[in-house]
Amino acid sequence: YPLMFGLILAFCWCSLVCCSRIYMGMHSILDVIAGFLYAILILVVFHPVVDLIDNFNLTYKYAPLIIISLHLALGIFSFTLDTWSTSRGDTAQILGCGAGVACGSHVNYILGLQLDPPPHSLPLSLSSLTVTVFGKAILRLLIGVIVLLLTKVAMKKATIPLACQIFRIPHDDVRRARQRMEVELPYRYITYGMVGFSLMFIVPCLFHFIGLS
C-alpha cells in the first residue's frame, strides 16, 4: 500500500486513541504526550530489530515459554506500581492479548499454516467485490466475533472463581474480588491471552475447516 496511506491511517488511529483517553478521563493531556513520546522512543529502539524478534518468535522452539514468562513478569511489575486502577487491568489485558497472539503465530508457523506470501507476489491484488465475497466476509466476521466472545466468557467464568479459591479470597462480591492483584492479573492475562490465541490460530483453523478461508 502507498506510504502516505499508511501514515494517514496511523495518524488517525493514534489521534483517536489519544483523544479517547482524555475524553474518558483516563489520562491527562500530559500523560498522553508522555505516552506518545515514549511510543516513539520504543519505535526508534525496536524498529531495526523487528524482523529479528519476529523470526525468533516464530522459529525458536521455546519462544512461547519465553513470551508468556516475559509478558507475565511485565504484568506483575505493573501491578506493583500503585493501587488499583483501570489502567492497571488494561495493562495486563494488553500483555495477555499480545502473548496469545505471539503464541498463536508461533503455532501457525510450526504447523505450516498461514505462511506469508513470497516477496515476488507483492503487492497483492484485491479481488473484485461480489455478493459471494461480501457474504463470506460478513459470515467470517460474525463467526469470528462469536467464537472470541465465547472464549472470553468461558475463560472469565473459569479464572475468577479459580483464582479466588487458590488465594482464598471471598468471591461473593465479584467486582471487589477482581480488584485484588491475585485475581485480576490471572483473570485478565489468561482470559485475553486465550482470546489472542483464538484470534490467530483457532478461528483461522475453524474457517479452513468450514471452507471460509
Side-chain angles (χ1 to χ4, degrees):
Y1 55 86
L3 176 62
M4 187 55 63
F5 174 77
L7 292 177
I8 293 175
L9 183 63
F11 175 79
C12 292
W13 181 260
C14 180
S15 299
L16 289 173
V17 172
C18 292
C19 292
S20 69
R21 297 293 86 192
I22 298 174
Y23 175 77
M24 295 296 293
M26 303 299 297
H27 296 286
S28 66
I29 295 179
L30 185 60
D31 291 337
V32 171
I33 294 175
F36 178 78
L37 295 177
Y38 186 55
I40 292 178
L41 177 62
I42 294 176
L43 183 63
V44 170
V45 173
F46 282 97
H47 185 267
V49 294
V50 164
D51 290 337
L52 182 62
I53 295 174
D54 188 51
N55 184 67
F56 172 83
N57 289 342
L58 294 178
T59 61
Y60 186 59
K61 181 179 180 179
Y62 300 105
L65 181 61
I66 296 175
I67 293 169
I68 293 173
S69 301
L70 179 60
H71 284 71
L72 183 59
L74 291 172
I76 294 174
F77 175 74
S78 68
F79 269 63
T80 59
L81 292 178
D82 52 16
T83 57
W84 181 87
S85 70
T86 54
S87 296
R88 191 179 73 171
D90 291 342
T91 301
Q93 182 174 315
I94 293 169
L95 289 170
C97 189
V101 167
C103 291
S105 300
H106 177 83
V107 174
N108 283 335
Y109 182 84
I110 295 300
L111 297 180
L113 305 175
Q114 294 184 315
L115 296 178
D116 291 334
H120 64 78
S121 66
L122 301 176
L124 300 176
S125 59
L126 295 176
S127 59
S128 57
L129 183 61
T130 62
V131 175
T132 302
V133 171
F134 182 76
K136 284 187 175 182
I138 296 299
L139 189 59
R140 282 166 58 95
L141 176 64
L142 293 176
I143 293 175
V145 169
I146 291 173
V147 171
L148 295 181
L149 287 177
L150 290 176
T151 302
K152 177 185 174 182
V153 171
M155 297 308 301
K156 181 179 178 180
K157 292 289 186 181
T159 53
I160 293 179
L162 181 60
C164 290
Q165 183 177 1
I166 292 175
F167 296 103
R168 298 180 180 179
I169 297 174
H171 58 276
D172 299 331
D173 188 348
V174 176
R175 183 173 182 178
R176 176 169 294 183
R178 282 174 50 184
Q179 294 182 1
R180 296 283 298 271
M181 170 185 175
E182 300 89 340
V183 176
E184 188 175 27
L185 178 58
Y187 149 62
R188 296 268 191 167
Y189 189 83
I190 296 174
T191 298
Y192 288 94
M194 284 302 303
V195 169
F197 184 80
S198 298
L199 176 68
M200 293 301 296
F201 177 69
I202 296 177
V203 172
C205 286
L206 177 61
F207 288 160
H208 179 74
F209 180 75
I210 62 179
L212 284 177
S213 297

